Amino acid sequence: MKCPNCGTPGFAGKRQSYQYRESGLDGVTLLNVEVRRCAPCGEEEVVIPGIDELHRTIAHLLSRKPGRLLGKEIRFLRSYLGRSSKDFAAIIGSAPESLSRWEHDKAEMPRSAEQLLRVLVFNQKPQEEYPEQLLVPPARPTPVRAAKMRVKPGKAQQWVAA
């Protein structure tokens, strides 16, 4: 296979873990995916099978995250739902400027709005697979930190938590 950047033959790949920064999230590691590299120019390409399923898996893991969501996580979930910031702000009954502050960690998203976001993501999958108690924020404050997750390809282009 030739490198798409410089055309050099031998654009070889190997299976390894990959920090999926393209998601816009910190802490997402894809396990056992093919990463192709070109030695001469440094071009890197990652083969991600079933990317829609991967994003669904990440969204559902985030919706069950204990503690408060970070701005990057709010933005990922809004994008996963296919909503512009203006449309999403209208859905949750907020001003677009407020949503922008939440997504950029300038202000904390109200618990009611965060709960609604989790429910919207939650409803993308049959309810019996995610018990209600996983969506309720904990009674005592939990430190705010990025969700750490590891996902790996499963059977038939499905992603599973590792």
Side-chain angles (χ1 to χ4, degrees), residues 39-70:
C41 75
E43 177 74 11
E44 184 177 82
E45 177 180 275
V46 181
V47 179
I48 302 176
I51 197 158
D52 290 338
E53 176 68 19
L54 169 61
H55 287 178
R56 187 184 66 74
T57 301
I58 292 170
H60 282 276
L61 289 170
L62 283 175
S63 74
R64 298 181 310 181
K65 171 189 170 183
R68 304 303 300 267
L69 294 171
L70 298 175

Side-chain angles (χ1 to χ4, degrees), residues 74-94:
I74 294 166
R75 187 171 36 255
F76 179 88
L77 293 174
R78 175 184 55 78
S79 297
Y80 166 74
L81 293 170
R83 299 295 181 168
S84 69
S85 56
K86 183 179 178 182
D87 289 344
F88 186 71
I91 289 169
I92 63 172
S94 180

Side-chain angles (χ1 to χ4, degrees), residues 74-151:
I74 294 166
R75 187 171 36 255
F76 179 88
L77 293 174
R78 175 184 55 78
S79 297
Y80 166 74
L81 293 170
R83 299 295 181 168
S84 69
S85 56
K86 183 179 178 182
D87 289 344
F88 186 71
I91 289 169
I92 63 172
S94 180
E97 298 81 14
S98 295
L99 178 59
S100 177
R101 286 192 290 274
W102 303 335
E103 289 185 353
H104 292 93
D105 289 318
K106 303 289 185 200
E108 192 171 87
M109 186 180 213
R111 289 193 184 271
S112 58
E114 185 176 313
Q115 190 69 15
L116 178 57
L117 174 57
R118 290 173 187 256
V119 168
L120 290 170
V121 171
F122 170 82
N123 284 329
Q124 297 293 312
K125 190 157 176 126
Q127 187 170 354
E128 63 273 7
E129 293 190 30
Y130 297 101
E132 184 177 328
Q133 63 269 22
L134 294 175
L135 297 174
V136 177
R140 58 188 166 93
T142 305
V144 177
R145 58 181 166 262
K148 297 283 186 196
M149 60 188 86
R150 294 166 49 106
V151 291

Side-chain angles (χ1 to χ4, degrees), residues 19-21 23-30 146-151:
Q19 291 300 121
Y20 186 42
R21 291 181 186 91
S23 68
L25 300 168
D26 300 325
V28 178
T29 304
L30 306 181
K148 297 283 186 196
M149 60 188 86
R150 294 166 49 106
V151 291

